[in-house]
Amino acid sequence: MRAAPEPFLHAQQLARAGRLGEARAAYAHSLETHPDFLPGYLALAGLAAHQGDTAAALAVLRAALARAQGNAAARHAIRRPLAELLAPLRPTSWDARLAADIGACLADDQLDPQPLARVAAALLLHADDREPLWPLFLTRCINTDPAIETRLVALRDALTATGDTPPLLPALALQAFASQYVWPAPDQPPTGLAEALVQPPTRFGEGPAWQLLAQRVREATVERELAAALPGFAAPQGLSAQVQRQYEAHPYPRWQAPPASRRTDFRPLLEALPGVDRAGLPPAPLSVLIAGCGTGYEAIDLARMDPSLSVTAIDLSRASLAFAQRKAQELGVTNLRFFHGDILALDRLDETFDVATSTGVLHHMANPHAGLASIVRTLRPGGIVRLALYSRRARAPVRAAHARIAERGWQADDAGIRAFRAHVLTLPEDDPLALLRQSDDFYSISGCRDLAFHVHEHHYTFPEIAALVAGAGLRLVGFDASPEALARFHEAHGPGADPLDLSLWDEVEAHHPYLFAGMIQFWCQLAM
């Protein structure tokens, strides 16, 4: 690795000392004398972004990209922070330079494209159909903008009516496939290659976009073969069997880009949890259970992050597991096993683990206490469990959706989901259900079913979470919160307040009910 130049090291010292203005000037001087030193650009851009100067940070990263022509690894390292800067932007007019930035990030197949969907859509609202950003957006992202959806549906209907095959057809077909044909059906069935706009195609045109669509269709066949061969330990029963049927029909989420490969030792991350008993932690190498892995994003992330881990992932949906296994095989992940079975029957695995995670799973069980107890019984003394559960306050729009769905009699099939979405898209902004349009999940069949049509879900208050943890013989040792949530917490309770005090979080959430619109995520430890 190239040694850091002295001006860069001096700038780092200033930044560590909190002298940020001087540090920023020093980083700029470092780049003047050492213009090919990539970390200098990343540090200067990061500091400018930290100070709220997004325009300057973007300018630095653009300069870095220009300097890194021909160096694929360097360009990827630059595009990652560039994408993070771009994602929150909402342009109100056309900006060719911004379009080039977004296009550069979407062209990097190692970056997760979905966080860029909203900024790309906001920009494309001001572009005609010939703009080169369109095919990149349609093939890499799932659209999450209602106005863009209206435009895409109109384009699809025009194509189905005329039978034309313009250059944008395969990209639009990829978009329709990725969203699982969530848009309303056209008035007349399409013919020829345009059939790919309303159903998985059996024939394809020429060119990269058609080849990519053919690959996506083949992947579905591979997954069916993998699903049939998966080892299992217990068939789901009762409500678990109903949940299983949902995810067999609609695996969720069907993610594209793999998790960023962040090579690091996992055990020090556990040791850093603020309330953990470090002496009681099991020794490395660690074995990890993913209890309810879905389509495998978290399991693959952990396995790639620390190859010393032995990761076992279970789920009740063979279709979801097959998606996960295909992705793991494509990425060359070898320290990860998949099993089909029910969390309530984990004892049949006849294994114990040092760490368990269960993200967005227990709240879909008939008896979450029993599900957590089953997970805890697999933990070794001092073991860690990470949980993520729905917030009762934040899920208020979803409860309103459940009531509206029951009132209208919509079924949890493709037709019912499309009818529900059509209804929500017509609602005024002040309707409680209009908030659902802000969720990425609203824009695909499997996502919308998970969001609003789930077979069963329980929503938690902070006192209920405290009771769940205590009832399982666990102790809260860590709490994951966004920067916004932490800022609200310290604003309400002061910088010295204990973030492991759930009663304090309950007070904060009472004033900011959508603070945990994703899930409430926390870490617990089993007593020795």
Side-chain angles (χ1 to χ4, degrees):
M1 179 180 291
R2 181 179 174 184
E6 184 60 35
F8 175 83
L9 296 175
H10 174 61
Q12 280 188 319
Q13 291 173 347
L14 291 171
R16 293 191 189 106
R19 297 159 62 181
L20 301 186
E22 294 174 73
R24 187 166 165 181
Y27 279 129
H29 173 67
S30 174
L31 288 177
E32 291 174 1
T33 56
H34 297 83
D36 292 323
F37 188 63
L38 174 61
Y41 291 93
L42 300 179
L44 178 56
L47 184 51
H50 176 74
Q51 294 181 312
D53 194 348
T54 301
L58 286 173
V60 171
L61 293 176
R62 287 167 181 150
L65 275 177
R67 177 70 60 171
Q69 289 290 344
N71 187 333
R75 291 178 68 79
H76 173 69
I78 298 163
R79 285 168 177 157
R80 188 170 298 283
L82 178 61
E84 292 174 357
L85 284 173
L86 296 171
L89 301 181
R90 296 295 179 268
T92 56
S93 61
W94 178 251
D95 184 330
R97 187 170 56 178
L98 186 59
D101 292 337
I102 296 170
C105 292
L106 290 180
D108 188 334
D109 60 8
Q110 294 303 303
L111 284 180
D112 182 0
Q114 199 55 36
L116 294 169
R118 293 186 185 275
V119 61
L123 193 60
L124 286 168
L125 283 172
H126 308 284
D128 63 32
D129 297 345
R130 294 167 294 178
E131 164 54 41
L133 184 59
W134 273 111
L136 271 173
F137 169 70
L138 293 173
T139 58
R140 292 281 286 148
C141 302
I142 293 177
N143 172 60
T144 55
D145 184 284
I148 288 289
E149 179 170 322
T150 298
R151 188 164 168 178
L152 295 179
V153 170
L155 177 60
R156 181 206 61 183
D157 291 349
L159 293 178
T160 58
T162 63
D164 291 342
T165 56
L168 207 55
L169 173 61
L172 189 62
L174 268 163
Q175 177 71 197
F177 181 87
S179 65
Q180 299 148 332
Y181 309 99
V182 75
W183 305 331
D187 292 334
Q188 60 187 77
T191 58
L193 290 176
E195 290 178 347
L197 298 172
V198 296
Q199 63 187 16
T202 56
R203 53 180 175 166
F204 307 89
E206 300 294 329
W210 283 116
Q211 292 172 10
L212 183 56
L213 181 55
Q215 177 185 328
R216 295 284 182 263
V217 172
R218 287 194 301 271
E219 287 169 353
T221 301
V222 170
E223 288 169 23
R224 286 191 292 271
E225 295 171 353
L226 290 172
L230 282 163
F233 60 89
Q237 304 293 324
L239 178 63
S240 294
Q242 296 179 47
V243 175
Q244 176 192 23
R245 286 192 289 274
Q246 171 176 332
Y247 289 115
E248 296 291 13
H250 296 114
Y252 166 86
R254 296 188 69 88
W255 48 276
Q256 296 186 58
S261 184
R262 301 168 289 111
R263 291 297 178 95
T264 186
D265 291 338
F266 187 56
R267 196 176 192 281
L269 299 181
L270 301 180
E271 293 172 348
L273 293 171
V276 76
D277 174 10
R278 295 175 181 81
L281 283 173
L286 300 174
S287 60
V288 180
L289 169 69
I290 313 293
C293 70
T295 52
Y297 192 90
E298 180 184 19
I300 290 171
D301 186 21
L302 279 174
R304 296 177 80 209
M305 180 179 72
D306 185 348
S308 75
L309 297 176
S310 174
V311 183
T312 299
I314 70 121
D315 199 82
L316 44 66
S317 163
R318 286 186 176 273
S320 298
L321 287 165
F323 181 97
Q325 188 170 55
R326 176 178 65 78
K327 288 288 194 180
Q329 289 175 352
E330 290 172 358
L331 294 167
V333 178
T334 59
N335 57 326
L336 171 59
R337 303 177 300 162
F338 294 101
F339 289 97
H340 175 248
D342 194 332
I343 285 174
L344 294 173
L346 283 172
D347 58 307
R348 298 188 189 179
L349 275 178
D350 195 27
E351 294 187 42
T352 56
F353 303 92
D354 302 308
V355 180
T357 75
S358 191
T359 301
V361 176
L362 293 180
H363 51 225
H364 292 313
M365 300 184 72
N367 186 341
H369 290 269
L372 181 55
S374 181
I375 293 170
V376 169
R377 284 194 295 271
T378 71
L379 284 180
R380 296 174 185 137
I384 298 290
V385 59
R386 183 182 183 276
L387 302 174
L389 300 168
Y390 284 147
S391 158
R392 178 164 184 80
R393 291 186 179 106
R395 296 290 283 185
V398 174
R399 287 194 299 279
H402 293 165
R404 190 74 53 87
I405 288 166
E407 171 192 317
R408 301 294 180 93
W410 290 314
Q411 300 300 306
D413 55 20
D414 290 7
I417 292 168
R418 291 190 188 104
F420 169 72
R421 291 186 74 258
H423 171 72
V424 172
L425 286 168
T426 65
L427 296 174
E429 290 293 334
D430 59 354
D431 189 288
L433 291 188
L435 283 171
L436 298 177
R437 301 196 292 251
Q438 298 177 16
S439 170
D440 284 8
D441 288 342
F442 183 73
Y443 296 89
S444 68
I445 289 288
S446 60
C448 192
R449 183 170 184 182
D450 187 83
L451 174 68
F453 284 82
H454 205 284
V455 172
H456 174 82
E457 60 183 60
H458 180 81
H459 305 152
Y460 281 86
T461 65
F462 279 96
E464 288 173 332
I465 288 175
L468 178 72
V469 169
L474 298 169
R475 184 172 55 86
L476 187 69
V477 297
F479 191 88
D480 290 342
S482 68
E484 178 194 359
L486 286 171
R488 298 290 189 187
F489 182 87
H490 293 304
E491 177 185 281
H493 301 297
D498 181 7
L500 298 184
D501 187 336
L502 296 184
S503 66
L504 298 182
W505 279 109
D506 189 48
E507 294 176 23
V508 174
E509 193 192 34
H511 292 93
H512 307 281
Y514 299 113
L515 203 55
F516 296 96
M519 281 179 276
I520 301 170
Q521 304 177 47
F522 52 97
W523 301 77
C524 303
Q525 186 172 23
L526 183 63
M528 290 289 289

